[in-house]
Amino acid sequence: MNMTGAELIMRLLERQGITTIAGIPGGANLPMYDAFHTSSIQHILVRHEQAAGFMAQGMARTTGLPAVCFATSGPGATNILTAIADAKLDSVPVICITGQVPTGLIGSDAFQEIDTYGLTVPITKHNYLVRTVEELLTVIPDAFRIAMSGRPGPVVIDVPKDVQSARIEFDAYPEPGAPDAPPRFSHDDIFRAAGLINASEKPVIYAGAGIIGSNAAPALHALAEKASIPVACTLLGLGSMPDSHPLYLGMLGMHGSRGTNMIMEECDLVIALGVRFDDRATGKAAEFCPKAHIIHIDIDRSELGKIKLPMLGIEADVRLAIEALLPEVGADKRSDWTARTTELREAHPMAMPGADDLLTPYGIIRQTAAMLDDDAIISTDVGQHQMWTAQAYPFTYPRQWLTSGGLGTMGFGLPTAIGAAVAFPERTSVCFSGDGSILMNIQELATAVEINANVKIVLLNNGHLGLVRQQQELFYGARYMASRFEARPDFATIARGFGMAACDLANEANPAEALAAALRQPGPCFINVPIAEEDCVFPMVPPGAANHTMIGGETHATA
Amino acid sequence: MQQRDPHEEMNPNEADHDEATCEGGCCSKGAAYDPPAPKAPAGTVVPTVVLRLSVRNHPGVMSHVCGMFARRAFNLEGILVLPVMDGTTSTMLLLVHDDRRLDQLERQLSKLEDVLEIHREATGHRAFAAVAEFIG
Ligand SMILES: Cc1ncc(C[n+]2csc(CCOP(=O)(O)OP(=O)(O)O)c2C)c(N)n1
C-alpha cells in the first residue's frame, strides 16, 4: 500500500471505528483536512478548538468509546488544552490529533510553532510527537489502546506537517488498538472483602465514575440488593443507580443531602468502588466516615491509599471485582441498619424548596425532567446550576449525565451536549447552563444550528456568577466582588441571531407549556429561565471542612 | 493487596487535607492535592533510596519523569541517565527521599507509559557517590 501520512491517519481512524471528528483546520493540519475527501469520516466544524475537545468528550462519555478531535498547531493546540485537561481529570478517552510545523522547523520559533508535546505532558495520559511517517503505524493504534486501557484518559498526537504529507509504503495495516487485559486480582482478596462485608453491621457503598467506566451498574445493583447495602454516589457516579431505587442515597459530599452525609458518618464499613476520595466527596479526608473501615476497589493502583489508607485495597476492574464478590457475599436484610438509614433519610431528605414553581432552580430542573423521556442525555456547565441538577435530576442510566467534575470547567456544557447529540441523534440532549458559563462557549450555537443537533439549552439565568456569589455571601461576609453582571445579554435574541429557535420563559403567559413545546420540537432550541439571584445551593459543606459541618438544606428551611 | 490491622489507628499515613483545594480561596495556602512531606528540621539527614528505572529512550521521556516529580511535589535529589545497548531503552537512577510518600511515588511512576520497569536499587548510592566526585 502506498499513501500519505495524512491518508494513513484517516485509514487507521476508520479502522478504529471513528465516524465523526470535530475540529478546526489551519496551516499545519491542512494535509489531514485534505484527506477527509477520501474518507468515510464526517467532520464537524466547531467555532473554537476547546469545543472540539468537549464535543469529543460528549461522544466518548456517552458511548464509552474513544472519540477524536483535530486542531492545528500553535493557537489551535493551546485552545484545545482545557478540554484535554478536563478529560484527564475525569478519565475520558479522547484522542486529540494536532498539526505541527514541519520537522525541519521545530525549535526555530516558526510561525504558529508551540511545544504541544511539552504543554500536554501533565494533562494527558500519554502523548506523542510523531517524527517519521512510519511511526504512525504504531502510534495511532497505541494511542487508542492507552486511551481505553485501565483507567481511561486522553492522548495527544502531535504530527508535523511534513509527516502528514510524506508518502509511506507498507504491506498491511496494523491491528486496531484494543484495551489491555484488566489487572488480575486474587480471590483471597475477594474472600477477605466478602468477610468484611458479611461481618459489617452498617455498610455503605461509595460509588464513583469507575462503576460507569467499567459498565458495573448491574453488578452494583445485585451486590447492593443481595446484602441490603445503601449506595451513595459521587458527582461523576450519578446514574450508576436509578434515582427510584430504594437503596439509592443520592450524592454524597459537599452538596449531598444531609441524610446521606449522616449515614456516612455512622457507617462501620465503606465499600469504595471506582472512586478516588476526591475532596468534594469526602470533605476533610481525616474525618470522612470516622467509624468505618474501608475497602477500596479501583483499577488505578495509585489511588489505593493516596488519600485514605484502606483496610483492604484491591486493584481491579470494578465490574469484575463485584462479580467475583457476589457469590461470596451473604444475603442479608440488615433490618436494623435499613431502619436506621430510612429514619435518617426521612428526617433529613434532600430539600428542594420551590420544586413546584417552574421559575426556580429545582422547579425548572424537576419539571424539565418530567417532560423528557428517561433516556434524555443531561449535561451541565459549572456552578450552582450544575449542583442543583446533580441534586435534583432523577437519573436512570449510566452515561446519561455529563458534567465536568475534576476540572470544573465553565464552558463544558454546550459543546459536550452537541457531541452527545451527534453520538445519539435519536435522544434529546439537554444542557443546563448558567449565564456565566454559557458565554464561555456561546459561539457553538452556530455549530449546533449548522448540524441541526437535537440540543436544548436550559439557561438558569441569575445575572451572576452564582456559585462565586454564594461563596462570597457565605464565607466572605457578603462582600461581593466581580460576581455580578451589569450587562445582561438577551439570550433568546442572541440565540435567534445564530438562527436557533428560542424562548424566554420570562415573557411567556404559560411558561410550562412554552417549555414543553420547546423541548418537544426537533433540532436545537434555547430556553432562557429567569431565576432569583439570591438562591444558594444547600446543603453545603464549607471547602476544607468535614462533611458533618453542613450548612443549610434543612427540610423546614423557608421555601 | 494491602491488609491492615483493624485495631491500628486508622490513618497514620494519610495526607491531611485540612485545606484541600478550595475554589473560594478561603484557604490561604491553597494546598496541593498530595502535599509534600513536612520538611525535615535543619541538620537532620533525610534517608534516601535509589530507584532504578528502565524507560523508553526518546527525547520526551525526561519531561515525563521529571515533570511528574514537580507536579506531584515529590522530592528528587539526583538523577542519572544513560542509554542501554541498542539505544531503544535507557536506565535512569533516581535518588529520592525514603518517606511515607515513596510508595505513592513508585505507583505514579509506574503509570507512565514510557516507564517499563522500576525497582529499588540497593547499591545505587555508589553510582551517585562516584558522580559526585566529578560534579561535587
Ligand atoms: C473556566 C472557569 N473559570 C472560572 C471558574 C470559577 N467558577 C466556578 S463557578 C463560577 C460561576 C458560574 O456562573 P454561572 O455559569 O452563571 O452559573 P451559576 O453558578 O450562576 O449557576 C465560576 C466563575 C470555573 N469553574 N471555570
Side-chain angles (χ1 to χ4, degrees), chain A residues 382-385 408 410 434-437 440 462 464-468, chain B residues 23:
Chain A
V382 171
Q384 291 179 314
H385 65 275
M410 293 168 69
D435 52 323
S437 295
M440 293 215 182
N462 55 11
H464 280 78
L465 295 169
L467 196 58
V468 174
Chain B
E23 267 199 357

Side-chain angles (χ1 to χ4, degrees), chain A residues 11-30:
Chain A
R11 292 299 90 71
L12 295 175
L13 294 179
E14 289 159 10
R15 291 168 56 84
Q16 291 288 162
I18 297 301
T19 55
T20 308
I21 294 174
I24 299 188
N29 64 0
L30 279 174

Side-chain angles (χ1 to χ4, degrees), chain A residues 365-401:
Chain A
I365 292 162
R366 297 289 292 189
Q367 295 191 40
T368 301
M371 290 172 189
L372 291 168
D373 290 341
D374 68 5
D375 71 348
I377 299 167
I378 308 302
S379 53
T380 68
D381 267 300
V382 171
Q384 291 179 314
H385 65 275
Q386 175 190 31
M387 292 302 135
W388 282 319
T389 310
Q391 290 175 330
Y393 199 95
F395 297 104
T396 312
Y397 303 111
R399 303 195 184 285
Q400 183 188 11
W401 162 240

Side-chain angles (χ1 to χ4, degrees), chain B residues 78-129:
Chain B
I79 179 163
L80 294 173
V81 196
L82 280 177
V84 288
M85 296 190 304
D86 62 348
T88 59
T89 64
S90 296
T91 296
M92 279 191 185
L93 296 183
L94 305 177
L95 184 64
V96 301
H97 285 185
D98 188 4
D99 61 24
R100 63 184 167 85
R101 301 184 72 223
L102 183 59
D103 201 39
Q104 175 65 203
L105 163 62
E106 285 180 88
R107 289 176 184 206
Q108 294 291 353
L109 275 176
S110 65
K111 282 206 296 183
L112 297 177
E113 194 62 30
D114 288 331
V115 173
L116 307 172
E117 272 174 54
I118 307 184
H119 354 232
R120 296 190 191 181
E121 168 84 25
T123 59
H125 285 94
R126 288 205 337 249
F128 284 93

Side-chain angles (χ1 to χ4, degrees), chain A residues 12 37 111 138 166 192 249 287 292 303 306 319 379 447 509 527:
Chain A
L12 295 175
H37 288 298
F111 178 62
T138 50
R192 275 189 203 102
L249 296 177
E287 291 176 36
E303 291 299 345
K306 184 184 83 178
R319 178 177 64 80
S379 53
T447 308
I527 302 149

Side-chain angles (χ1 to χ4, degrees), chain B residues 15-17 31-37 72-73 100-101:
Chain B
D16 82 60
H17 279 245
Y33 209 36
D34 249 358
R72 295 200 176 262
R100 63 184 167 85
R101 301 184 72 223

